[in-house]
Amino acid sequence: MIEFTNVTKIYPNGTKGLNQINLTIEDGEFVSIIGLSGAGKSTLLRSINRLNEVSEGEIKIDGTSITAAKKKELRQIRRNIGMIFQSFNLVKKSTVQKNVISGRLGFYSTLKSIFGLFSKEDYELVNDALKRVGLSDKLQSRSDELSGGQQQRVSIARTLVQQASIILADEPVASLDPITTQMIMKDLQKINRELNRTVIVNLHSVDLAREFSTRIIGLRQGEVVFDGTPNEATNEVLTEIYGADILKEDLGEGQ
Ligand code: ADP
């Protein structure tokens, strides 16, 4: 369970990224966060694993405060939170296997990690994860030889070997074509349903949010302005909150 209590983020230049967020996300939910560019989606998502330090308030993961956690505890909490990025964040010249097994790094001391002392079980986890995302035949391929969609599936596999119960995905399909987008979203949905992982995805497509999530959270100017089921997130409701721009496929990405 993830609990936000009165969370506010003010960036050093004075911009308010989040304003008094109060939210509870239960285990096993598939949450899409929507909103126009600059609404605070990325700030919210990255505050869950403390890639972004909040200015006020508290975030608890399974009852433990990540916002107050010291180094060792933070490392332990982060182990349980996987992250998928729009740009995949793979080591391009490394093999798929090496990239995926790096999901185990949080379980080892720095020294063991440096020498790549992974166990047989770790390698089995890699094989299982690649099978799940349909990339078993790419085990020894160099990551930069793969298509964008395949690279994103490698990064999903990395979160699987991490055995993280929470998966955060920051615009995971923003740079992918529509067919690949469907595949990646279906992978995330399958992982959510079959492995009961909590999935939280930032999206700039309302249609995708409605198609794949169990809950939609709408942000505007750092505040929660919608929180409901896909059925409740009708075009009429969203247009009333945001204006017609929210229904456009590209919500000002790159502006
Ligand atoms: P979204 O992901 O919805 O596009 P962001 O979370 O990236 O929105 O940004 C929310 C607000 O915070 C925006 O006004 C943005 O300009 C601002 N912001 C984001 N990152 C920074 C930063 N590093 N410094 C200053 N302002 C920032």
Side-chain angles (χ1 to χ4, degrees), residues 9-18 33-46 52 170-171 202-203 219 221-222 251-253 255:
K9 167 70 179 183
I10 301 166
Y11 284 103
N13 67 0
T15 306
K16 215 173 226 185
L18 296 174
I33 301 173
I34 60 166
L36 300 168
S37 184
K41 303 182 293 295
S42 192
T43 306
L44 181 94
L45 198 79
R46 286 160 188 257
N52 164 41
D170 198 1
E171 301 279 9
N202 280 353
L203 288 173
L219 295 182
Q221 294 179 354
L251 293 179
E253 232 5 67
Q255 277 179 14

Side-chain angles (χ1 to χ4, degrees), residues 89-106 113-118 122-123 125-127 130 135 138-144 146 154-155 157-159 161-162:
N89 270 30
L90 301 178
V91 181
K92 291 193 170 64
K93 289 184 179 166
S94 279
T95 63
V96 166
Q97 185 184 46
K98 280 193 178 138
N99 271 288
V100 176
I101 210 161
S102 71
R104 301 300 297 161
L105 286 177
S113 315
I114 290 170
F115 290 105
L117 297 175
F118 297 103
D122 292 332
Y123 284 100
L125 284 173
V126 171
N127 293 341
L130 287 175
L135 288 179
K138 301 291 183 197
L139 188 70
Q140 298 303 339
S141 301
R142 250 175 67 150
S143 302
D144 57 4
L146 305 182
V154 171
S155 79
R158 184 173 53 191
T159 68
V161 307
Q162 188 185 338

Side-chain angles (χ1 to χ4, degrees), residues 45-249:
L45 198 79
R46 286 160 188 257
S47 66
I48 296 173
N49 60 358
R50 226 172 106 183
L51 276 186
N52 164 41
E53 296 275 354
V54 302
S55 313
E56 291 166 29
E58 182 170 52
I59 300 170
K60 284 186 181 172
I61 314 279
D62 294 332
T64 307
S65 174
I66 184 161
T67 39
K70 297 270 183 305
K71 217 173 164 187
K72 193 173 162 208
E73 198 177 20
L74 179 62
R75 191 171 129 104
Q76 266 165 3
I77 301 171
R78 277 187 175 154
R79 217 189 250 178
N80 198 29
I81 308 174
M83 183 117 187
I84 296 167
F85 299 86
Q86 177 181 343
S87 52
F88 323 129
N89 270 30
L90 301 178
V91 181
K92 291 193 170 64
K93 289 184 179 166
S94 279
T95 63
V96 166
Q97 185 184 46
K98 280 193 178 138
N99 271 288
V100 176
I101 210 161
S102 71
R104 301 300 297 161
L105 286 177
F107 295 85
Y108 290 103
S109 66
T110 315
L111 206 60
K112 271 194 163 177
S113 315
I114 290 170
F115 290 105
L117 297 175
F118 297 103
S119 67
K120 188 163 158 270
E121 288 75 24
D122 292 332
Y123 284 100
E124 279 164 12
L125 284 173
V126 171
N127 293 341
D128 289 348
L130 287 175
K131 201 166 162 195
R132 193 168 275 279
V133 297
L135 288 179
S136 295
D137 58 329
K138 301 291 183 197
L139 188 70
Q140 298 303 339
S141 301
R142 250 175 67 150
S143 302
D144 57 4
E145 288 166 356
L146 305 182
S147 69
Q150 288 171 330
Q151 289 188 48
Q152 195 57 296
R153 275 142 71 202
V154 171
S155 79
I156 292 174
R158 184 173 53 191
T159 68
L160 291 179
V161 307
Q162 188 185 338
Q163 296 181 309
S165 65
I166 299 168
I167 297 178
L168 308 177
D170 198 1
E171 301 279 9
V173 294
S175 58
L176 303 175
D177 64 78
I179 291 170
T180 313
T181 290
Q182 282 286 326
M183 278 163 53
I184 295 294
M185 292 303 294
K186 279 184 186 147
D187 279 341
L188 290 173
Q189 189 176 51
K190 230 171 83 181
I191 288 162
N192 167 255
R193 288 180 177 169
E194 293 175 9
L195 302 176
N196 201 36
R197 308 282 161 92
T198 306
V199 176
I200 308 175
V201 192
N202 280 353
L203 288 173
H204 60 268
S205 157
V206 169
D207 285 338
L208 287 178
R210 279 196 286 241
E211 188 176 350
F212 291 100
S213 41
T214 58
R215 176 178 176 187
I216 297 176
I217 293 174
L219 295 182
R220 191 180 63 195
Q221 294 179 354
E223 295 182 4
V224 175
V225 288
F226 177 85
D227 187 352
T229 63
N231 283 339
E232 289 163 344
T234 59
N235 285 355
E236 289 71 27
V237 168
L238 295 181
T239 309
E240 198 170 310
I241 298 172
Y242 294 102
D245 283 354
I246 191 76
L247 301 177
K248 290 183 188 153
E249 189 60 22

